[in-house]
Amino acid sequence: MSTKIESVTVEMTAENKCSFCKGSKCCSYFTQQIDTPRKKSDFQTLLWQIAHRDIEIYKDEDGWFLIINNSCNFILAGGGCAIYDERPTICREYDNDWCEYDEPAEDNFKLHFTNYKSLLKYCKKRFKRWGK
Ligand code: SF4
Ligand code: SF4
């Protein structure tokens, strides 16, 4: 005997959109803007930072940023927020109308370093006498 299971299509709305977002992308990391690196010593600092676990660096039209790939402590198993009523202002102001669910943030990066090796390669290209 077989049982037929009917599939139900749920329409995505602003209210339920986040429930479709696996891992609550916007709560799984944060960024910190940094001064534009110009000198070798600036890039040496960035190399030190990206040598650490879960750190990436990018540049977009707003400048340079660190990405700290650590999830918020308050994401619930189902993707909700455990402190929803008192969540920080930055969380309240984040609009899901057009967010990372629709377009990955990386699509607008001009430079993106995901590890030490990729940044070191860039440094060697940017500074002809990098190792001198
Ligand atoms: S705002 Fe966007 S990225 Fe954040 S949880 Fe909702 S759908 Fe996902
Ligand atoms: S406080 Fe809530 S809304 Fe803000 S990042 Fe953490 S889980 Fe997401």
Side-chain angles (χ1 to χ4, degrees), residues 55-83:
I55 301 298
E56 296 180 29
I57 297 166
Y58 72 89
K59 177 194 173 195
D60 69 7
E61 61 183 13
D62 295 323
W64 286 73
F65 294 80
L66 295 180
I67 306 176
I68 296 87
N69 281 313
N70 285 321
S71 290
C72 177
N73 287 324
F74 298 111
I75 303 180
L76 295 169
C81 174
I83 56 166

Short mmCIF file of all heavy atoms in Angstrom, two decimals, residues 55-83:
data_model
loop_
_atom_site.label_atom_id
_atom_site.label_comp_id
_atom_site.label_asym_id
_atom_site.label_seq_id
_atom_site.Cartn_x
_atom_site.Cartn_y
_atom_site.Cartn_z
N ILE A 55 38.23 34.59 10.35
CA ILE A 55 38.34 35.99 9.94
C ILE A 55 38.50 36.07 8.42
O ILE A 55 39.27 35.33 7.82
CB ILE A 55 39.56 36.67 10.60
CG1 ILE A 55 39.45 36.61 12.13
CG2 ILE A 55 39.68 38.14 10.11
CD1 ILE A 55 38.26 37.32 12.73
N GLU A 56 37.76 36.98 7.80
CA GLU A 56 37.94 37.31 6.38
C GLU A 56 38.04 38.83 6.28
O GLU A 56 37.73 39.54 7.24
CB GLU A 56 36.76 36.81 5.54
CG GLU A 56 36.60 35.30 5.54
CD GLU A 56 35.41 34.82 4.70
OE1 GLU A 56 35.06 35.50 3.72
OE2 GLU A 56 34.85 33.78 5.05
N ILE A 57 38.47 39.31 5.13
CA ILE A 57 38.59 40.75 4.90
C ILE A 57 37.99 41.06 3.53
O ILE A 57 38.19 40.28 2.58
CB ILE A 57 40.07 41.19 4.93
CG1 ILE A 57 40.67 40.93 6.32
CG2 ILE A 57 40.23 42.66 4.56
CD1 ILE A 57 42.19 41.00 6.36
N TYR A 58 37.26 42.18 3.45
CA TYR A 58 36.78 42.58 2.13
C TYR A 58 36.83 44.08 1.99
O TYR A 58 36.93 44.83 2.97
CB TYR A 58 35.37 42.05 1.85
CG TYR A 58 34.26 42.74 2.61
CD1 TYR A 58 33.62 43.86 2.10
CD2 TYR A 58 33.83 42.25 3.85
CE1 TYR A 58 32.59 44.48 2.79
CE2 TYR A 58 32.80 42.87 4.54
CZ TYR A 58 32.19 43.98 4.01
OH TYR A 58 31.18 44.60 4.69
N LYS A 59 36.75 44.49 0.73
CA LYS A 59 36.64 45.92 0.40
C LYS A 59 35.45 46.07 -0.52
O LYS A 59 35.28 45.28 -1.47
CB LYS A 59 37.91 46.38 -0.31
CG LYS A 59 37.88 47.82 -0.74
CD LYS A 59 39.00 48.11 -1.72
CE LYS A 59 38.84 49.51 -2.27
NZ LYS A 59 39.65 49.72 -3.46
N ASP A 60 34.60 47.05 -0.23
CA ASP A 60 33.51 47.37 -1.16
C ASP A 60 33.46 48.88 -1.32
O ASP A 60 34.40 49.59 -0.94
CB ASP A 60 32.18 46.77 -0.72
CG ASP A 60 31.62 47.41 0.55
OD1 ASP A 60 32.18 48.42 1.02
OD2 ASP A 60 30.60 46.90 1.06
N GLU A 61 32.39 49.39 -1.86
CA GLU A 61 32.32 50.84 -2.14
C GLU A 61 32.36 51.69 -0.86
O GLU A 61 32.62 52.88 -0.92
CB GLU A 61 31.07 51.17 -2.96
CG GLU A 61 29.79 50.80 -2.23
CD GLU A 61 28.56 51.06 -3.07
OE1 GLU A 61 28.70 51.29 -4.28
OE2 GLU A 61 27.46 51.03 -2.48
N ASP A 62 32.10 51.06 0.30
CA ASP A 62 32.14 51.81 1.57
C ASP A 62 33.50 51.75 2.26
O ASP A 62 33.69 52.41 3.27
CB ASP A 62 31.07 51.27 2.53
CG ASP A 62 29.67 51.52 2.00
OD1 ASP A 62 29.46 52.59 1.39
OD2 ASP A 62 28.81 50.65 2.16
N GLY A 63 34.41 50.93 1.76
CA GLY A 63 35.73 50.85 2.38
C GLY A 63 36.13 49.41 2.70
O GLY A 63 35.64 48.46 2.09
N TRP A 64 37.02 49.30 3.70
CA TRP A 64 37.56 47.99 4.08
C TRP A 64 36.91 47.49 5.36
O TRP A 64 36.66 48.28 6.29
CB TRP A 64 39.07 48.11 4.31
CG TRP A 64 39.86 48.25 3.04
CD1 TRP A 64 39.93 49.36 2.24
CD2 TRP A 64 40.70 47.26 2.43
NE1 TRP A 64 40.75 49.13 1.17
CE2 TRP A 64 41.25 47.85 1.27
CE3 TRP A 64 41.06 45.95 2.76
CZ2 TRP A 64 42.12 47.16 0.43
CZ3 TRP A 64 41.93 45.27 1.92
CH2 TRP A 64 42.45 45.87 0.78
N PHE A 65 36.70 46.17 5.44
CA PHE A 65 36.01 45.58 6.59
C PHE A 65 36.63 44.23 6.97
O PHE A 65 37.10 43.49 6.10
CB PHE A 65 34.54 45.32 6.26
CG PHE A 65 33.72 46.55 6.03
CD1 PHE A 65 33.77 47.21 4.80
CD2 PHE A 65 32.92 47.07 7.03
CE1 PHE A 65 33.02 48.36 4.59
CE2 PHE A 65 32.17 48.21 6.82
CZ PHE A 65 32.22 48.87 5.59
N LEU A 66 36.60 43.95 8.26
CA LEU A 66 36.85 42.59 8.72
C LEU A 66 35.51 41.87 8.76
O LEU A 66 34.48 42.48 9.07
CB LEU A 66 37.40 42.58 10.16
CG LEU A 66 38.76 43.20 10.43
CD1 LEU A 66 39.06 43.05 11.93
CD2 LEU A 66 39.85 42.56 9.60
N ILE A 67 35.51 40.58 8.45
CA ILE A 67 34.33 39.74 8.67
C ILE A 67 34.69 38.77 9.79
O ILE A 67 35.72 38.08 9.71
CB ILE A 67 33.96 38.90 7.43
CG1 ILE A 67 33.80 39.77 6.20
CG2 ILE A 67 32.70 38.09 7.70
CD1 ILE A 67 33.53 38.97 4.92
N ILE A 68 33.88 38.75 10.82
CA ILE A 68 34.09 37.81 11.93
C ILE A 68 33.00 36.75 11.80
O ILE A 68 31.82 37.01 12.08
CB ILE A 68 34.04 38.54 13.29
CG1 ILE A 68 35.20 39.54 13.40
CG2 ILE A 68 34.13 37.54 14.44
CD1 ILE A 68 34.94 40.89 12.84
N ASN A 69 33.40 35.59 11.33
CA ASN A 69 32.42 34.53 11.02
C ASN A 69 32.04 33.70 12.25
O ASN A 69 32.33 32.52 12.33
CB ASN A 69 32.98 33.61 9.93
CG ASN A 69 32.86 34.22 8.55
OD1 ASN A 69 31.80 34.74 8.19
ND2 ASN A 69 33.93 34.19 7.78
N ASN A 70 31.41 34.36 13.20
CA ASN A 70 30.92 33.67 14.39
C ASN A 70 29.44 33.99 14.57
O ASN A 70 29.04 35.15 14.56
CB ASN A 70 31.68 34.12 15.63
CG ASN A 70 33.07 33.53 15.67
OD1 ASN A 70 33.26 32.38 15.31
ND2 ASN A 70 34.04 34.31 16.08
N SER A 71 28.65 32.94 14.75
CA SER A 71 27.21 33.15 14.90
C SER A 71 26.88 33.84 16.22
O SER A 71 27.58 33.66 17.22
CB SER A 71 26.49 31.80 14.89
OG SER A 71 26.55 31.25 13.60
N CYS A 72 25.80 34.58 16.20
CA CYS A 72 25.29 35.21 17.41
C CYS A 72 24.87 34.11 18.41
O CYS A 72 24.32 33.08 18.02
CB CYS A 72 24.09 36.08 17.06
SG CYS A 72 23.32 36.84 18.49
N ASN A 73 25.10 34.35 19.68
CA ASN A 73 24.74 33.38 20.73
C ASN A 73 23.23 33.21 20.87
O ASN A 73 22.77 32.27 21.52
CB ASN A 73 25.28 33.84 22.09
CG ASN A 73 26.78 33.66 22.18
OD1 ASN A 73 27.31 32.69 21.66
ND2 ASN A 73 27.45 34.58 22.84
N PHE A 74 22.46 34.13 20.27
CA PHE A 74 21.02 34.12 20.52
C PHE A 74 20.18 33.55 19.40
O PHE A 74 18.95 33.63 19.45
CB PHE A 74 20.56 35.54 20.89
CG PHE A 74 21.21 36.04 22.15
CD1 PHE A 74 22.14 37.07 22.10
CD2 PHE A 74 20.93 35.45 23.36
CE1 PHE A 74 22.77 37.52 23.26
CE2 PHE A 74 21.54 35.88 24.52
CZ PHE A 74 22.47 36.92 24.48
N ILE A 75 20.82 32.96 18.37
CA ILE A 75 20.02 32.31 17.32
C ILE A 75 19.41 31.03 17.91
O ILE A 75 20.13 30.20 18.46
CB ILE A 75 20.86 31.89 16.10
CG1 ILE A 75 21.60 33.07 15.49
CG2 ILE A 75 19.96 31.27 15.03
CD1 ILE A 75 22.44 32.67 14.28
N LEU A 76 18.11 30.89 17.76
CA LEU A 76 17.43 29.67 18.23
C LEU A 76 17.58 28.57 17.18
O LEU A 76 17.88 28.85 16.01
CB LEU A 76 15.95 29.96 18.47
CG LEU A 76 15.66 30.96 19.60
CD1 LEU A 76 14.20 31.39 19.57
CD2 LEU A 76 16.04 30.35 20.95
N ALA A 77 17.39 27.35 17.60
CA ALA A 77 17.55 26.20 16.69
C ALA A 77 16.73 26.38 15.41
O ALA A 77 17.19 26.05 14.32
CB ALA A 77 17.16 24.92 17.40
N GLY A 78 15.54 26.94 15.53
CA GLY A 78 14.69 27.11 14.35
C GLY A 78 14.99 28.37 13.56
O GLY A 78 14.32 28.67 12.57
N GLY A 79 15.99 29.13 13.99
CA GLY A 79 16.38 30.33 13.26
C GLY A 79 15.89 31.64 13.87
O GLY A 79 16.26 32.70 13.41
N GLY A 80 15.04 31.57 14.89
CA GLY A 80 14.54 32.80 15.50
C GLY A 80 15.57 33.43 16.44
O GLY A 80 16.68 32.94 16.59
N CYS A 81 15.15 34.53 17.06
CA CYS A 81 16.04 35.26 17.97
C CYS A 81 15.56 35.08 19.42
O CYS A 81 14.40 35.38 19.73
CB CYS A 81 16.01 36.74 17.60
SG CYS A 81 16.93 37.78 18.75
N ALA A 82 16.45 34.62 20.28
CA ALA A 82 16.07 34.34 21.68
C ALA A 82 15.84 35.61 22.48
O ALA A 82 15.24 35.56 23.56
CB ALA A 82 17.16 33.49 22.34
N ILE A 83 16.29 36.73 21.97
CA ILE A 83 16.10 38.00 22.71
C ILE A 83 15.36 39.01 21.83
O ILE A 83 15.65 40.20 21.85
CB ILE A 83 17.46 38.57 23.19
CG1 ILE A 83 18.43 38.76 22.02
CG2 ILE A 83 18.08 37.68 24.27
CD1 ILE A 83 19.64 39.62 22.36
#
